[in-house]
Amino acid sequence: EILFICNELVKSEIDEIRLTGGEPTLRHDLLEIVNKLSELPLKKLGLTTNGTRILNLLPEIAKTNCQYLNFSLDSLNSEKFTTITRRPSFQKVMDSILKAKELKFTVKINTVLMKGVNSEEIEDFINFSSQHNIEVRFLELMRIGTANKRFNEQFISAGEVINFIDKRWDKTSLKVSKDSTSFNYKLSNNAKIGFIASESKPFCTACSRLRLGSDGTLRPCLMVNDGLSLRNKNSLEI
């Protein structure tokens, strides 16, 4: 069903696909899906992961057209990582990130900044980007789910982080597509950073994305509950 729907969407001029979740590596058929999606005429095929189960899959994925990997990583401190994620798998995730870089994937790290939780690690992430030539994207905490309860006390805007950066490094804006979810900079220490400012600078106006849920529902936005069910279709009229 996934392959059929994606094939039909590509016929309707979708040219980029990202496997996300939840956690894609929990699927026993992930490699089969990636291999089949690699046969589609896509400009870009990517995957977003928490990095806990992907290490042994990387050599096989590297043989496919899935060459863009985003890792969710909210701390560079192993103890803090365990507290945030409730799993002691920091080293496994870090090994996966560095192995992916070694295998020539285009690697990005997504970090949700939270005041009083990991906000003091901004400089550490920037130095990590500079050292390993890996782009780090700082995400604003979104007012959804369990974050609703702690939003006011933990929210940090992209503007606050940029003010912090401007006191320490020079920055150069990098060109991005009109429908990019992030705005990006290169710093004077060669770090590459981006911001996904969903709360303070929403990108809805230029958004070109669709989200296909695990239940087969196609939605124009993560924040929309209703959508179009594509289950049990012999053909699609999108």
Side-chain angles (χ1 to χ4, degrees):
E1 286 179 316
I2 290 173
L3 298 172
F4 168 73
I5 290 171
C6 288
N7 184 64
E8 293 296 304
L9 290 171
V10 168
K11 291 179 183 177
S12 299
E13 300 186 22
I14 294 294
D15 58 8
E16 296 185 10
I17 290 178
R18 174 167 294 278
L19 299 169
T20 177
E23 175 52 42
T25 57
L26 289 171
R27 292 191 66 112
H28 66 85
D29 54 356
L30 176 63
L31 288 177
E32 179 185 358
I33 292 172
V34 171
N35 275 292
K36 291 293 185 181
L37 291 180
S38 291
E39 298 173 5
L40 297 176
L42 295 168
K43 288 198 305 187
K44 185 175 179 180
L45 177 59
L47 184 149
T48 297
T49 176
N50 62 27
T52 59
R53 299 167 58 94
I54 200 171
L55 184 60
N56 294 333
L57 299 175
L58 288 173
E60 290 301 314
I61 297 175
K63 299 174 185 177
T64 74
N65 289 333
C66 183
Q67 293 296 304
Y68 297 84
L69 299 184
N70 289 0
F71 288 87
S72 300
L73 181 68
D74 292 335
S75 179
L76 291 169
N77 177 285
S78 60
E79 292 183 7
K80 189 175 296 183
F81 175 94
T82 300
T83 299
I84 294 171
T85 65
R86 297 189 292 277
R87 62 170 72 92
S89 51
F90 172 78
Q91 195 56 53
K92 186 179 293 184
V93 175
M94 187 57 61
D95 290 345
S96 298
I97 291 170
L98 298 180
K99 183 64 176 180
K101 184 68 177 176
E102 179 187 325
L103 290 172
K104 309 301 183 185
F105 286 96
T106 298
V107 178
K108 295 179 183 178
I109 290 176
N110 292 338
T111 302
V112 179
L113 288 179
M114 296 166 282
K115 190 176 296 183
V117 178
N118 61 358
S119 52
E120 75 282 2
E121 292 190 68
I122 294 171
E123 187 166 352
D124 293 336
F125 274 106
I126 289 172
N127 289 333
F128 180 89
S129 173
S130 175
Q131 179 183 354
H132 296 283
N133 191 28
I134 293 176
E135 180 181 325
V136 173
R137 300 191 302 183
F138 295 120
L139 280 65
E140 288 184 344
L141 184 68
M142 294 179 67
R143 204 188 305 261
I144 58 174
T146 57
N148 268 316
K149 299 176 183 178
R150 60 180 192 274
F151 181 84
N152 290 332
E153 61 184 86
Q154 292 186 352
F155 176 74
I156 307 171
S157 70
E160 292 177 76
V161 182
I162 290 172
N163 287 337
F164 172 86
I165 288 170
D166 284 341
K167 295 175 182 178
R168 291 160 176 79
W169 301 277
D170 294 326
K171 69 179 189 299
T172 303
S173 295
L174 299 178
K175 186 177 180 179
V176 296
S177 61
K178 290 182 179 180
D179 63 346
S180 175
T181 58
S182 67
F183 52 97
N184 299 51
Y185 300 99
K186 184 173 183 179
L187 305 187
S188 50
N189 67 344
N190 290 320
K192 295 177 183 178
I193 62 168
F195 293 91
I196 299 180
S198 303
E199 294 288 336
S200 66
K201 296 183 179 181
F203 41 82
C204 303
T205 303
C207 181
S208 64
R209 286 156 176 77
L210 296 170
R211 178 175 290 265
L212 179 64
S214 59
D215 61 354
T217 301
L218 191 69
R219 297 179 175 87
C221 177
L222 180 64
M223 305 295 288
V224 173
N225 291 324
D226 297 327
L228 175 67
S229 176
L230 303 183
R231 293 296 297 272
N232 303 315
K233 301 283 188 180
N234 294 321
S235 64
L236 301 184
E237 293 183 3
I238 304 298

